[in-house]
C-alpha cells in the first residue's frame, strides 16, 4: 500500500470487484492463489460492467484498486 515492492512469497491472492456502475462494484471474487494469471467471468452480453483488481498479502493488507476497466 505504500508503493514498495512486495516479494511474491508474501503475495496471498487477488480480489476482483465488479458491478454495473463504477461507484457500485459490489460483486467480489476472492482468488486465494497468487499464481492465478487469468480468470474468466461469464456474464450476459448486454450487461455493462465495471471491473477493478486488488492484491493482498499474507497479513491481509490489500492494495489500492487498479484502474477501472469497463466492458
Amino acid at each position: 500500500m505504500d508503493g514498495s515492492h512486495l516479494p511474491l512469497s508474501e503475495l496471498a491472492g487477488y480480489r476482483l470487484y465488479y458491478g454495473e456502475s463504477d461507484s457500485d462494484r459490489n460483486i467480489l471474487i476472492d482468488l486465494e492463489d497468487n499464481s492465478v494469471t487469468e480468470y474468466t467471468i461469464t456474464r450476459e452480453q448486454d450487461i455493462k460492467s465495471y471491473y477493478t483488481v486488488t492484491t493482498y498479502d499474507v497479513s491481509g493488507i490489500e492494495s489500492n484498486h487498479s484502474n477501472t476497466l469497463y466492458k
Side-chain angles (χ1 to χ4, degrees):
M1 201 148 162
D2 65 2
S4 61
H5 292 279
L6 182 68
L8 286 178
S9 61
E10 292 185 35
L11 179 65
Y14 304 91
R15 291 188 177 122
L16 173 62
Y17 297 86
Y18 68 99
E20 294 181 23
S21 75
D22 192 27
S23 62
D24 189 24
R25 295 180 309 263
N26 58 359
I27 301 169
L28 167 66
I29 298 171
D30 194 349
L31 304 170
E32 299 175 346
D33 181 351
N34 69 358
S35 67
V36 172
T37 59
E38 292 183 23
Y39 188 84
T40 302
I41 297 173
T42 304
R43 306 240 338 179
E44 295 180 36
Q45 282 190 326
D46 59 341
I47 296 177
K48 298 173 185 169
S49 297
Y50 295 80
Y51 302 86
T52 61
V53 176
T54 64
T55 60
Y56 59 94
D57 68 13
V58 294
S59 298
I61 299 172
E62 188 170 6
S63 71
N64 293 328
H65 285 256
S66 67
N67 292 334
T68 301
L69 172 69
Y70 170 79
K71 179 143 171 105

